Amino acid sequence: AHRLPAQRQGGREPGGPLPTIEARTNGMKKMDGFFPLYWDSPSGHLYLEISRFNTEVLHIQGMGTGLGSNDIGVERGNLQRSEIVFFEKQGPKVLLVEPNYDFRATFTKNQDEQQSVRESFARSVMWGFQAVAESPGRVLVDFTDYLLADPNTITQRLRPGAYRLDASRSSIYLPMTQNFPRNTEMEAELTWVRERPAGPPQGGIAPPRPGSFNPFPGPEAFFEGVNRVAADAAAASLRIHHSFVELPDAGYVPRKFDPRSSYGPIAWKDYSVPPDGDEMTFVQRLIRRQRLKKKDPKAAMSDPVEPIVYYVDPAVPEPQRSALIEGVGWWNQAFTAAGYRNAFQVKLRPDTISSLDVRYNVINWVHRSTRGYSSGATVTDPRTGEILKGVVTLGSLRYRQDYLIAEALLLPYKTGTEVPPDMREWALARMRQLAAHESGHTLGFMHNYYDSKRGRISVMDYPAPLVTLKPDGSLDISKVYERGIGPWDSVAIKWGYQDFPPGTDEKAALDKIL
């Protein structure tokens, strides 16, 4: 469907040699970088130049825009998936391949043994491209069809009704298609259309449009589907972002998982473990954490080689913005206690930084038509457990919800027009704690429920608002939420991120911390 006339193909005759990349891209806009890109405006096609064959890179997919439905869960700025991939040339074809890192042989130098594991478990060829031009050591492929496909099975999630992807209403989104020395960024706007006319669902009652009244709500009335959030349920357009990123260098030192530590693991089955090993050694686990090293590992207090920086969405209004910045910034208390000076920083994200760029940890402010969960997601190197990017998603309606809870409990109104400071502070206190909790996930932490009886020892628990009675019987909300991380959070940061001096028995030192 996308075959171009001969003159647009660099003059290639059928069955003849491929044109050079220079000839094929003559007149196109070149975006140089990690994988050079070429934009052909007359045809609306985007081409990718590949010279890194059989070289593993990281592929990340995320959402440039969202649907606004908590039930469907396709939200602005969130991560959809990430995996290691490589390009492989097979004759005129170029394959995009995902190797299988769930099964490995890392305890042997025997290449035959390693190869036997790779051949025992299937890899995944994610896409096949036809080379359209070739120069020495380089191949050009048309990347358009890949970018205009449904990469995350969004089609299956859109409802009520059946939706299909409409290529005629989909296109490359050039403003967010960019190139850098170590990462290539591409984005496309895809449009899903409803296959059948919007008619009454089962039971004969049509879902109401937002703002309308339905006297006979059926099951669909409680589902926040496309019909409730899109401009028109007949078509929903979303932007999908793709990144190809250079894998990190070998400077990161993995740390073995300990179930006492609160860190989440990456795991794989290692078939080179001696056969008399138990299941815990057969299943290898490393913790997930971000890279952090002291400039002077011998010093009790040292500046970091590179700090961990989080960027807050400038769309967050005040006073929520200040609350988020403060809550996320609590983690610097733990890094200071672990011997790092200014190792954890929180800044407002400038316009020059995309929230989808893998080089930056971000805190996104997301709107939905109903209140939904917040989350902390990561892009993690599956080889080592190194967290390359943290993405915190905070729902804007959470603040309103906590405000309503405070309003219902305190009943503060005399005239009905006040904005009582106690209610605002309640909601802001919850926002600080929520921001610290979700950013904790992006530092590598799981939930910490198992010792809740000890009190508020960790922001990774789900603390309920603490409301007590004063002697006169009135409500005391002065400690509704804590202001700062818990003591266990400091222990966990020290265990996971401590950079020990050379010669330290690391296992003994880590056990001592726990």
Side-chain angles (χ1 to χ4, degrees):
H2 300 295
R3 187 176 298 277
L4 300 173
Q7 62 270 22
R8 298 295 299 163
Q9 297 185 36
R12 181 194 178 192
E13 296 296 332
L18 290 173
T20 65
I21 293 177
E22 292 73 19
R24 183 66 177 81
T25 60
N26 184 32
M28 297 185 189
K29 177 184 176 181
K30 182 177 181 180
M31 291 171 268
D32 210 356
F34 188 53
F35 285 97
L37 297 171
Y38 299 87
W39 170 244
D40 187 12
S41 181
S43 67
H45 282 223
L46 187 69
Y47 294 84
L48 186 82
E49 179 185 312
I50 304 167
S51 60
R52 293 177 172 87
F53 288 104
N54 302 308
T55 299
E56 293 184 340
V57 299
L58 191 67
H59 176 223
I60 308 166
Q61 297 174 27
M63 299 302 303
T65 58
L67 186 64
S69 164
N70 181 62
D71 293 332
I72 294 176
V74 180
E75 295 163 346
R76 165 185 179 257
N78 73 353
L79 297 171
Q80 292 292 306
R81 59 180 295 173
S82 64
E83 62 276 328
I84 287 178
V85 297
F86 61 87
F87 289 100
E88 179 180 276
K89 192 173 185 302
Q90 297 288 355
K93 287 189 176 181
V94 176
L95 305 179
L96 179 62
V97 181
E98 180 182 352
N100 194 333
Y101 271 94
D102 291 333
F103 308 94
R104 312 183 199 176
T106 61
F107 286 88
T108 180
K109 295 182 180 179
N110 185 325
Q111 295 185 2
D112 290 331
E113 186 176 359
Q114 295 172 353
Q115 182 72 10
S116 72
V117 175
R118 286 195 295 269
E119 293 177 351
S120 296
F121 299 96
R123 68 178 190 168
S124 297
V125 176
M126 307 303 294
W127 201 266
F129 303 90
Q130 195 80 13
V132 298
E134 186 171 12
S135 293
R138 300 175 292 136
V139 166
L140 189 73
V141 299
D142 188 342
F143 229 62
T144 311
D145 285 349
Y146 176 74
L147 295 174
L148 299 188
D150 179 4
N152 306 310
T153 62
I154 291 175
T155 303
Q156 300 173 19
R157 296 154 65 179
L158 298 182
R159 52 194 176 95
Y163 284 82
R164 64 174 175 83
L165 189 59
D166 187 349
S168 70
R169 305 189 211 181
S170 303
S171 62
I172 303 298
Y173 187 72
L174 211 56
M176 289 301 293
T177 298
Q178 304 167 328
N179 231 335
F180 304 95
R182 296 183 177 180
N183 56 304
T184 294
E185 309 291 330
M186 296 170 283
E187 193 159 301
E189 184 174 48
L190 309 183
T191 299
W192 283 265
V193 297
R194 202 165 187 170
E195 289 194 298
R196 59 177 178 80
Q202 188 174 3
I205 304 297
R209 293 289 295 174
S212 64
F213 173 69
N214 180 7
F216 306 105
E220 294 289 4
F222 301 99
F223 177 76
E224 185 191 17
V226 177
N227 59 306
R228 292 182 176 272
V229 290
D232 192 314
S237 300
L238 302 168
R239 296 209 311 264
I240 315 296
H241 194 87
H242 293 257
S243 302
F244 286 94
V245 183
E246 184 180 52
L247 285 169
D249 59 34
Y252 175 82
V253 179
R255 184 155 292 175
K256 288 189 176 182
F257 172 73
D258 189 312
R260 301 171 294 172
S261 68
S262 292
Y263 286 83
I266 63 163
W268 71 92
K269 291 183 177 180
D270 201 305
Y271 283 80
S272 60
V273 170
D276 55 352
D278 60 23
E279 180 68 14
M280 289 302 291
T281 56
F282 176 57
V283 179
Q284 292 291 306
R285 294 178 175 88
L286 300 172
I287 68 167
R288 295 182 302 105
R289 61 171 180 170
Q290 301 206 27
R291 184 183 299 207
L292 188 68
K293 298 185 69 174
K294 287 182 176 180
K295 285 185 176 179
D296 183 3
K298 297 180 181 178
M301 180 66 68
S302 170
D303 288 325
V305 175
E306 291 286 345
I308 298 172
V309 182
Y310 277 69
Y311 290 92
V312 174
D313 195 332
V316 184
E318 291 288 5
Q320 295 96 317
R321 178 188 294 180
S322 294
L324 296 185
I325 291 175
E326 179 186 339
V328 177
W330 289 348
W331 285 106
N332 195 49
Q333 303 167 12
F335 284 100
T336 300
Y340 288 94
R341 186 186 297 111
N342 298 319
F344 188 91
Q345 302 174 16
V346 187
K347 301 179 181 181
L348 194 65
R349 177 170 59 82
D351 292 339
T352 55
I353 292 178
S354 165
S355 65
L356 293 164
D357 194 324
V358 72
R359 296 173 294 177
Y360 305 100
N361 300 301
V362 294
I363 300 167
N364 292 326
W365 189 246
V366 173
H367 305 288
R368 308 179 181 101
S369 65
T370 58
R371 187 185 69 82
Y373 57 87
S374 295
S375 64
T378 63
V379 176
T380 302
D381 186 341
R383 307 169 305 169
T384 63
E386 180 183 358
I387 293 175
L388 307 178
K389 177 183 178 66
V391 178
V392 175
T393 299
L394 299 177
S396 64
L397 293 181
R398 176 64 68 89
Y399 176 84
R400 297 175 183 270
Q401 188 76 10
D402 286 303
Y403 191 93
L404 291 173
I405 294 172
E407 180 182 50
L409 185 63
L410 300 177
L411 299 175
Y413 299 117
K414 294 180 181 179
T415 66
T417 60
E418 311 95 318
V419 179
D422 286 349
M423 288 166 45
R424 173 174 285 182
E425 178 50 37
W426 177 314
L428 290 176
R430 178 68 178 100
M431 190 60 66
R432 294 186 197 100
Q433 195 279 333
L434 177 67
H437 177 100
E438 302 302 351
S439 56
H441 284 311
T442 66
L443 289 171
F445 295 121
M446 298 187 292
H447 287 127
N448 184 17
Y449 302 136
Y450 62 85
D451 215 7
S452 301
K453 64 181 182 296
R454 287 184 174 267
R456 296 173 168 181
I457 65 169
S458 174
V459 296
M460 301 312 298
D461 201 341
Y462 275 173
L466 178 60
V467 180
T468 58
L469 291 176
K470 298 177 181 178
D472 64 357
S474 61
L475 298 178
D476 182 357
I477 63 169
S478 60
K479 296 183 179 180
V480 62
Y481 290 103
E482 292 286 2
R483 197 157 188 163
I485 60 168
W488 172 253
D489 300 322
S490 289
V491 173
I493 286 289
K494 187 175 183 181
W495 184 89
Y497 284 87
Q498 184 61 267
D499 193 9
F500 297 104
T504 301
D505 183 344
E506 186 170 302
K507 185 178 185 307
L510 291 173
D511 284 341
K512 184 177 180 180
I513 291 173
L514 288 181

